[in-house]
Amino acid sequence: GESVGLHLPTLSVQEGDNSIINCAYSNSASDYFIWYKQESGKGPQFIIDIRSNMDKRQGQRVTVLLNKTVKHLSLQIAATQPGDSAVYFCAENRDDYKLSFGAGTTVTVRA
Amino acid sequence: NAGVTQTPKFRILKIGQSMTLQCTQDMNHNYMYWYRQDPGMGLKLIYYSVGAGITDKGEVPNGYNVSRSTTEDFPLRLELAAPSQTSVYFCASRPLAARTRELFFGEGSRLTVL
């Protein structure tokens, strides 16, 4: 089975609210995690990453939190906008070459 | 830079036909990857390469072959296409030395096998 997965396949958010997307991983040896955004008909785009020696990392309107105790990763999007509607994937890196992806969460922003 | 370029964008194959999905990158990246994405699912790694002349299997290599004769190109070959290979295929690349392990993706190739 997959070692990286998201808790919910879909998330509906009111425009302007904050979004929280969750991801669980099972391999405690993973030392690097990435969040990707995939818009319809496009390839995944990098959002933010975090190394296992960190608990939190912030970008522009996004924050990634890592809880190694329970092997949980989350992506927070502040003031969600219509352009944030997409599928969001977390991915883990267990060795230096390969990223393993979860199934994704589809975020829909309501006007 | 064009980044990662995949061709074709769409293709319909009959069962048993063969084809090659082309992938080229102009960023001089050492690492290249092929993933497939089935509806509602994440990306599954098919094959990857850490440099010209070196390839290795990922999670789902059966029914596919790759080659890496140059740094720029990493074609994916489907022999004897089957309906189970209907999917969207993504090529990606990454530099050898970088602060992040971010993969740069192409726009995808949508393949239907009938």
Side-chain angles (χ1 to χ4, degrees):
Chain A
E2 295 186 333
S3 67
V4 178
L6 289 159
H7 292 305
L8 292 173
T10 62
L11 180 67
S12 180
V13 183
Q14 185 68 40
E15 182 178 356
D17 287 352
N18 297 335
S19 303
I20 299 176
I21 306 165
N22 296 304
C23 176
Y25 66 96
S26 60
N27 193 332
S28 57
S30 295
D31 66 347
Y32 179 82
F33 305 87
I34 292 184
W35 280 99
Y36 277 92
K37 174 185 180 183
Q38 186 178 28
E39 296 175 338
S40 181
K42 305 245 178 190
Q45 294 177 289
F46 173 87
I47 301 174
I48 193 168
D49 60 356
I50 189 167
R51 296 185 183 275
S52 59
N53 61 354
M54 302 172 69
D55 298 323
K56 179 180 179 179
R57 189 151 188 261
Q58 288 184 290
Q60 189 173 14
R61 279 202 309 120
V62 294
T63 301
V64 56
L65 299 177
L66 177 62
N67 185 330
K68 294 181 286 294
T69 302
V70 295
K71 299 194 189 80
H72 183 267
L73 192 68
S74 69
L75 177 71
Q76 300 178 3
I77 305 174
T80 309
Q81 302 169 357
D84 295 327
S85 292
V87 181
Y88 291 80
F89 295 96
C90 65
E92 65 172 321
N93 186 216
R94 294 174 229 164
D95 58 41
D96 196 38
Y97 301 138
K98 297 170 283 187
L99 281 179
S100 295
F101 288 81
T105 291
T106 299
V107 173
T108 302
V109 180
R110 306 188 305 271
Chain B
N1 285 353
V4 179
T5 303
Q6 293 183 234
T7 56
K9 291 195 188 318
F10 301 94
R11 182 73 186 267
I12 298 175
L13 281 181
K14 293 183 179 177
I15 295 171
Q17 286 185 319
S18 300
M19 76 159 298
T20 299
L21 298 178
Q22 302 291 346
C23 175
T24 187
Q25 51 91 11
D26 61 357
M27 300 174 282
N28 201 33
H29 287 173
N30 289 78
Y31 301 156
M32 294 189 75
Y33 306 81
W34 275 105
Y35 286 87
R36 61 176 285 173
Q37 184 178 32
D38 298 326
M41 303 294 288
L43 287 82
K44 297 287 188 185
L45 182 63
I46 305 171
Y47 270 96
Y48 67 101
S49 169
V50 300
I54 306 169
T55 63
D56 209 345
K57 296 177 180 179
E59 302 168 79
V60 290
N62 292 345
Y64 307 95
N65 278 299
V66 293
S67 59
R68 185 95 183 271
S69 56
T70 66
T71 299
E72 295 78 19
D73 301 305
F74 190 41
L76 177 72
R77 178 85 179 158
L78 282 74
E79 306 281 2
L80 299 175
S84 62
Q85 293 178 304
T86 294
S87 190
V88 181
Y89 292 84
F90 288 99
C91 181
S93 70
R94 176 165 85 83
L96 174 63
R99 189 200 69 77
T100 79
R101 301 177 205 172
E102 172 192 356
L103 298 187
F104 294 80
F105 283 87
E107 295 282 279
S109 297
R110 184 177 296 274
L111 176 67
T112 302
V113 182
L114 300 174

